[in-house]
Amino acid sequence: MKEVPELMLMGPGPSTVPSRVLRAMSKPTLGHLDPRFIEIMGETMDLLRYVFQTKNEVTLPMSGTGSAGMETVLVNLLEPGDKAIICICGAFGLRMADIAERCGARVVKVESPWGYPIYPDDVQKALAKNPDARLLAIVHAETSTGVLQPLQEISRLCKKYGVLLVVDTVTSLGGVEFRCDEWGVDAAYSGTQKCLNCPPGLSPVTFSPAALERLEKRKSKVSSWYLDMTMIRRYWGQERFYHHTAPVNMIYALNEALQIVKEEGLENRWARHRQSQKAFIAGIKAMGLDMLVDEPYRLPSLNTVKIPDGIDDAKVRGALLKEYNIEIGGGLGELKGKVWRIGLMGNNARKRNVIWLLSALEDVLSRLGYNLERGSGVKAASLIYEGT
Ligand SMILES: *Cc1c(COP(=O)(O)O)cnc(C)c1O
């Protein structure tokens, strides 16, 4: 294979993978029913329960990326003709609606403009009009816009109307506070390549007892064979009923990435993401740049910075990559060409990355004619890390 460079991946994912995780991945492949591998599977499930903050028995990594997790949750919990309330304020809400429609569900949309969260009042109205809905699905961390969605009020409303709550935690798990059980979430899914710093390829999912009850009461078979949780839970459970071959080495990688999270402690990790976001934004503002999202809804793990007028998006991203080995993301969908998406995910939410990126950005922007005081961004960020 060709040589590939070591980069600082600070876009919307994948994020930089620590060498510890890459080394775990290169350990010898075991048989997927080998007792030593079964032990690793069990340990991985326990670690996932920790990062999801749940006691849910069915908590496991699906073989596929984050989108496979999204499809898993929806295809298992929806039957043709079911009504589903889907909250949309960015690209991933749109993807959920697309999948729910493909499941044969009648989709009711609750929408907000891109860059804003979903408001509980709108959710309340949708639930009151559609009390027969099976589930409500919402994105916790909208990677296309950089919005962090508050969940607790919406969860309370779902409980009141007896509707299952499904949450996309792809860009929040392991980086931003999420408490599955305490917040009354019935099913959640995530990805490995965002705040968990693992290569893409697995999608952790968790199903509450209420979600499993729904699954057991289905009248029709789950329409996807590969993602059918009624079978997959038997493969990951005591029975070891063969369904498909688990991607053994990917599970090594996830196990190691989760060990790293546990060693640091979730709370410490959440606080570190918040602090790095604070430093990063202080730097961005000192450079005269603006954030897309209003303060209370800014997502620590993914920051959307408005591209200043007259600055060429592609030139900036190209120079960061070529001269500094830093990858950042461009805008997606409606925000294409309007924002940069800057990930501070997992191990990248650290002073060294924030300062490196800000100084690179100062250099590139000022060379492209953007008027700024060199050193201003770095200084403002470093003051935050010093606690002043
Ligand atoms: C990245 C992402 C996904 C999709 O994950 P893939 O691994 O690309 O399939 C889904 N939802 C959100 C919020 C994401 O950020």
Side-chain angles (χ1 to χ4, degrees):
M1 199 191 106
K2 267 171 73 168
E3 283 305 312
V4 289
E6 243 177 81
L7 301 177
M8 234 162 161
L9 299 178
M10 297 183 72
S15 59
T16 320
V17 179
S19 53
R20 237 181 99 175
V21 173
L22 292 173
R23 276 199 306 274
M25 228 177 147
S26 68
K27 287 184 183 176
T29 304
L30 286 168
H32 75 124
L33 296 174
D34 185 303
R36 286 160 293 197
F37 182 62
I38 287 173
E39 201 183 311
I40 292 167
M41 288 168 86
E43 192 182 74
T44 306
M45 290 168 86
D46 280 340
L47 288 163
L48 281 177
R49 288 187 192 101
Y50 169 67
V51 296
F52 272 120
Q53 293 283 288
T54 186
K55 294 199 168 60
N56 291 340
E57 183 206 318
V58 176
T59 302
L60 53 85
M62 294 296 292
S63 308
T65 66
S67 307
M70 185 186 286
E71 193 142 2
T72 298
V73 168
L74 294 173
V75 83
N76 280 279
L77 297 182
L78 289 172
E79 290 188 76
D82 282 353
K83 203 182 254 186
I85 301 176
I86 310 287
C87 299
I88 305 171
C89 56
F92 294 102
L94 280 171
R95 188 174 295 181
M96 291 199 296
D98 186 1
I99 293 176
E101 273 164 14
R102 289 166 193 249
C103 296
R106 290 173 293 148
V107 171
V108 175
K109 294 176 181 168
V110 176
E111 292 176 274
S112 279
W114 287 44
Y116 295 86
I118 297 293
Y119 296 101
D121 278 356
D122 295 332
V123 169
Q124 153 86 41
K125 278 179 211 144
L127 284 166
K129 256 173 98 179
N130 303 282
D132 55 332
R134 269 292 176 220
L135 59 79
L136 179 140
I138 193 161
V139 178
H140 185 214
E142 188 42 270
T143 321
S144 60
T145 62
V147 167
L148 176 62
Q149 174 68 50
L151 291 174
Q152 282 159 284
E153 179 62 15
I154 288 170
S155 168
R156 199 186 59 75
L157 290 167
C158 287
K159 293 284 163 301
K160 182 176 155 195
Y161 287 91
V163 170
L164 294 176
L165 174 61
V166 167
V167 179
D168 176 317
T169 65
V170 176
T171 296
S172 54
L173 197 73
V176 180
E177 182 175 12
F178 177 74
R179 300 178 189 273
C180 185
D181 290 359
E182 200 182 312
W183 293 358
V185 174
D186 292 296
Y189 58 89
S190 191
T192 47
Q193 77 272 28
K194 315 247 172 154
C195 298
L196 299 178
N197 300 140
C198 185
L202 291 174
S203 175
V205 299
T206 186
F207 283 69
S208 73
L212 291 178
E213 192 187 318
R214 168 72 205 113
L215 184 60
E216 279 149 20
K217 285 190 179 150
R218 287 181 68 105
K219 289 187 218 75
S220 57
K221 267 189 179 177
V222 175
S223 66
S224 164
W225 182 89
Y226 192 62
L227 304 177
D228 184 342
M229 192 51 73
T230 64
M231 294 190 283
I232 289 168
R233 64 179 295 197
R234 293 172 61 204
Y235 176 52
W236 280 81
Q238 294 303 321
E239 271 178 88
R240 302 291 159 188
F241 162 82
Y242 168 66
H243 179 256
H244 70 279
T245 311
V248 174
N249 293 57
M250 269 310 300
I251 289 165
Y252 296 169
L254 176 61
N255 183 293
E256 189 72 7
L258 293 169
Q259 302 275 6
I260 293 173
V261 174
K262 184 135 192 222
E263 283 164 22
E264 181 176 11
L266 264 184
E267 264 96 0
N268 292 338
R269 221 172 148 90
W270 297 336
R272 180 164 59 72
H273 280 76
R274 282 244 169 253
Q275 192 201 27
S276 278
Q277 176 190 42
K278 200 172 157 200
F280 173 73
I281 294 174
I284 285 296
K285 298 240 152 150
M287 289 161 68
L289 296 167
D290 255 337
M291 301 296 291
L292 174 78
V293 178
D294 290 338
E295 160 97 61
Y297 302 111
R298 284 181 195 149
L299 174 60
S301 47
L302 194 284
N303 293 273
T304 37
V305 177
K306 287 188 191 161
I307 300 174
D309 286 340
I311 292 293
D312 185 328
D313 173 19
K315 269 195 186 148
V316 173
R317 285 190 286 130
L320 287 175
L321 189 58
K322 199 161 152 240
E323 297 168 29
Y324 290 94
N325 273 6
I326 301 175
E327 181 186 278
I328 65 166
L332 189 65
E334 287 182 20
L335 295 171
K336 196 169 164 52
K338 295 187 180 139
V339 297
W340 289 308
R341 291 187 299 152
I342 296 174
L344 299 173
M345 297 181 180
N347 209 33
N348 286 345
R350 291 191 188 278
K351 181 175 176 181
R352 54 165 191 256
N353 293 62
V354 170
I355 300 287
W356 178 251
L357 172 60
L358 287 171
S359 67
L361 203 54
E362 281 182 355
D363 175 43
V364 170
L365 284 176
S366 55
R367 276 193 287 126
L368 288 173
Y370 178 74
N371 188 19
L372 62 81
E373 194 192 325
R374 286 216 195 197
S376 57
V378 167
K379 185 174 168 193
S382 106
L383 285 175
I384 298 286
Y385 283 110
E386 282 162 31
T388 48

